[in-house]
Amino acid sequence: MGVAEEWEEVEHKNSEQMSQLKRQVSSLTDALSKMTTNKAKGGSSSSADCQTDGCNRPIDWYCRYCKGFICTRCSKKPCGDEAQHQSEDFEEMYKLCTNKYKEYLDGKNSAVSGLTQQQKKLQEELASDIKRMSDVTPEQLASPEIIKITADLPRKQKLLQDISKQLTEAEAFQSVDIKSMSQQEFITVFDKLDFDGYVFAVTDLDRITLGEKCEVISDKKCYDLDVIPSGQILIGKKDGFDICDKNGKVLRSVKVNGFSITTVQYYKSKIYTLAKDYTKDSKKRKVMVFEMPNYTESASWSLPDFGYISMLAVNNDKVYVVDCDAKKVKVYSLTGKQISDFSHSGFIDPIYMSSCPPDGVLVTDWQTGLVYKINCMNDQLAWEFKVNEPRGVFCDKLGNIWVWARKSKELVLRSSDGKQTKSFSHPELLKTGVDFITGFSMSEGELWLAAYSKGVMRIEMNVAPAK
């Protein structure tokens, strides 16, 4: 098969990872530019002293909210609008940003390698076509072979231009001398980046394994969970949601009396939740938005009624909510203005949702046995795939899709390019009596599960080095 015939496959394979890669390179360049401009104006991000005016104590903390470097004493002072600092240990924050940068580079290098191979293959085919055309006789100009070569040339040239441009953009950041940055400068640059969706270089699913142990973090009913940039875990439950440390210890609880929080998602320094009135016979639902770091409610709006669990997902500055009875997904702005409806002829019971970085949301329909991805750039169906009675769904930072297949009691994993699937039947997980898994998240190599009536669980996930 020639490269021109592979056009759609190549475009599909590279579009998501290159789109994310270009956004990250642009964001990196912008952050570095702002840092350089600040230093040129006399500002400094390399001083080892607390940045609070009049304080020259050593730095102990970094505030994820105001982006300031502060000492322990100043960390106890208000952080704008009387809010508390969202403090992270300075050294731990540096390690976190360093790891994120390494993962970014790994993804970028993999994407660049794939593009380079495509570029080489295309150049060889174009050279062969040109040589063939140079040898053609006038009598052969009307032959099917020559007509096909002539028709394909514009597409091949366009594809070569696109690949060359993407490679140029991908390599743009290599000239930056990261080692010359201080720890403060490094954090300043890399904490501004959106690494919620890394570059999706396709991973061989045979490299992914789950640990044998299944740890029950909490036995209280849980609907959904998410991880915020600080590494803390959000857990949606009856009467509100909890903020926990990486070991599951509750650090703070946000009360929403009379409502179960069936979805909890971090997005751009806010927490978006779907709240279901659990009063007997009530079907009332609403979206509630909370501002960080104090978790104060900043917005809410009502949703079409539904009497059972349902979910939302946020991406591309839009909120997607299943309207189960109408067999639709309603699309809202971040402030609650309805934008449109997404409908699909196959929908019977669309209930579970999750964000799918960089530009999608996932929906599962347990009745049809299908998992759908909606492209948030145009609100059109991107793809669908079959799972045996799918429930909770999640996109990890490798771009792989995790789904709970309730009927077979398996964790189903789909690769980012859709060409691989793998199922995990986990004995220790099954020993807990789990029936529903309604939400997933990933933190520091561990898969966290919202197992509904069985509480919160976590399983170690390992990714073996590429051969």
Side-chain angles (χ1 to χ4, degrees):
M1 183 187 295
V3 174
E5 287 77 8
E6 297 174 5
W7 167 262
E8 291 187 0
E9 181 179 350
V10 171
E11 186 176 46
H12 173 73
K13 179 178 179 181
N14 292 319
S15 61
E16 284 194 345
Q17 66 182 45
M18 287 311 303
S19 176
Q20 177 73 357
L21 180 57
K22 286 188 282 186
R23 274 197 286 263
Q24 290 180 346
V25 170
S26 175
S27 184
L28 284 165
T29 304
D30 181 61
L32 284 165
S33 175
K34 290 179 179 178
M35 183 188 74
T36 303
T37 302
N38 179 58
K39 291 173 72 174
K41 291 180 179 179
S44 174
S45 57
S46 59
S47 169
D49 294 337
C50 174
Q51 293 182 338
T52 304
D53 290 341
C55 181
N56 58 0
R57 295 179 183 82
I59 294 171
D60 298 304
W61 304 94
Y62 171 72
C63 177
R64 298 295 292 265
Y65 189 64
C66 69
K67 311 299 182 186
F69 298 92
I70 51 181
C71 66
T72 296
R73 191 167 90 171
C74 292
S75 71
K76 303 182 186 304
K77 297 179 180 179
C79 171
D81 298 327
E82 301 303 317
Q84 295 296 310
H85 284 287
Q86 188 182 345
S87 300
E88 301 290 338
D89 181 89
F90 176 61
E91 295 296 335
E92 289 297 319
M93 191 64 200
Y94 179 70
K95 291 179 183 178
L96 175 66
C97 288
T98 300
N99 289 336
K100 285 184 175 181
Y101 176 59
K102 288 178 180 176
E103 290 177 345
Y104 160 77
L105 285 182
D106 288 344
K108 189 188 82 166
N109 291 338
S110 178
V112 168
S113 175
L115 284 172
T116 302
Q117 292 175 14
Q118 291 291 341
Q119 183 187 49
K120 181 180 178 181
K121 184 177 180 181
L122 181 57
Q123 288 171 335
E124 291 173 351
E125 187 165 333
L126 281 170
S128 175
D129 287 347
I130 292 171
K131 185 177 185 306
R132 179 70 183 89
M133 292 291 289
S134 67
D135 296 335
V136 74
T137 64
E139 293 77 15
Q140 294 174 318
L141 286 174
S143 69
E145 177 195 5
I146 301 304
I147 291 174
K148 184 176 185 301
I149 290 175
T150 304
D152 281 343
L153 276 175
R155 274 202 301 174
K156 292 180 181 180
Q157 291 170 338
K158 174 66 165 56
L159 179 55
L160 181 61
Q161 290 173 356
D162 289 347
I163 290 176
S164 299
K165 181 181 178 182
Q166 289 172 349
L167 281 170
T168 300
E169 292 171 334
E171 296 292 342
F173 194 62
Q174 287 193 347
S175 62
V176 178
D177 185 8
I178 298 297
K179 293 182 180 179
S180 68
M181 292 183 181
S182 68
Q183 288 182 320
Q184 294 94 304
E185 289 172 336
F186 195 88
I187 293 172
T188 297
V189 169
F190 288 95
D191 187 45
K192 291 180 179 178
L193 305 179
D194 177 14
F195 282 95
D196 288 343
Y198 297 146
V199 177
F200 292 167
V202 179
T203 304
D204 180 357
L205 298 190
D206 287 339
R207 294 169 51 202
I208 297 179
T209 58
L210 296 180
E212 294 181 1
K213 184 179 179 182
C214 175
E215 185 178 0
V216 178
I217 301 299
S218 169
D219 60 2
K220 296 180 181 179
K221 182 182 287 188
C222 168
Y223 297 94
D224 192 26
L225 39 77
D226 198 11
V227 179
I228 61 178
S230 65
Q232 294 172 344
I233 317 293
L234 304 174
I235 298 178
K237 59 189 185 70
K238 186 177 181 179
D239 287 322
F241 61 92
D242 290 336
I243 301 95
C244 304
D245 67 14
K246 61 183 180 181
N247 294 314
K249 179 183 177 181
V250 177
L251 305 175
R252 180 173 179 175
S253 294
V254 177
K255 296 294 183 182
V256 185
N257 293 326
F259 287 83
S260 294
I261 299 300
T262 61
T263 301
V264 58
Q265 183 187 333
Y266 170 88
Y267 184 78
K268 293 187 176 180
S269 298
K270 294 183 180 181
I271 309 301
Y272 289 79
T273 69
L274 195 157
K276 166 69 176 66
D277 185 345
Y278 60 72
T279 306
K280 185 178 180 181
D281 298 328
S282 175
K283 296 183 178 181
K284 299 297 182 184
R285 302 186 302 160
K286 62 180 177 179
V287 174
M288 300 181 70
V289 186
F290 298 85
E291 292 273 2
M292 295 178 67
N294 278 355
Y295 300 98
T296 53
E297 184 181 343
S298 61
S300 68
W301 63 91
S302 297
L303 299 171
D305 289 356
F306 187 66
Y308 305 96
I309 291 176
S310 58
M311 294 195 159
L312 62 74
V314 189
N315 206 338
N316 197 38
D317 290 342
K318 291 181 282 188
V319 181
Y320 295 77
V321 187
V322 287
D323 184 358
C324 309
D325 287 339
K327 306 183 190 312
K328 295 179 179 179
V329 175
K330 304 193 83 64
V331 186
Y332 298 90
S333 71
L334 295 180
T335 56
K337 180 181 178 181
Q338 186 173 351
I339 299 171
S340 63
D341 287 332
F342 175 86
S343 301
H344 187 276
S345 59
F347 278 172
I348 297 178
D349 261 317
I351 291 180
Y352 299 90
M353 295 194 74
S354 178
S355 178
C356 185
D359 55 11
V361 296
L362 303 170
V363 186
T364 69
D365 188 320
W366 69 273
Q367 289 271 37
T368 61
L370 288 170
V371 179
Y372 303 90
K373 178 185 174 183
I374 301 172
N375 185 335
C376 299
M377 304 301 290
N378 56 17
D379 290 337
Q380 298 294 315
L381 182 68
W383 48 250
E384 62 185 55
F385 78 102
K386 192 79 175 176
V387 174
N388 194 356
E389 199 177 309
R391 300 291 177 155
V393 63
F394 171 65
C395 177
D396 68 23
K397 292 186 177 182
L398 298 173
N400 302 314
I401 310 300
W402 294 82
V403 188
W404 175 245
R406 184 192 174 213
K407 192 170 184 178
S408 60
K409 298 292 191 294
E410 291 179 314
L411 293 165
V412 177
L413 181 60
R414 175 190 187 268
S415 63
S416 59
D417 64 353
K419 295 182 178 180
Q420 306 170 67
T421 57
K422 184 176 183 178
S423 297
F424 298 90
S425 181
H426 198 283
E428 293 301 312
L429 173 62
L430 297 182
K431 283 181 182 179
T432 66
V434 64
D435 189 15
F436 291 93
I437 291 178
T438 51
F440 294 83
S441 197
M442 191 79 71
S443 175
E444 298 183 1
E446 293 177 320
L447 188 64
W448 286 66
L449 310 173
Y452 191 52
S453 61
K454 298 300 179 181
V456 180
M457 304 174 189
R458 67 179 176 188
I459 301 172
E460 182 181 10
M461 188 193 82
N462 302 299
V463 182
K467 296 180 180 179

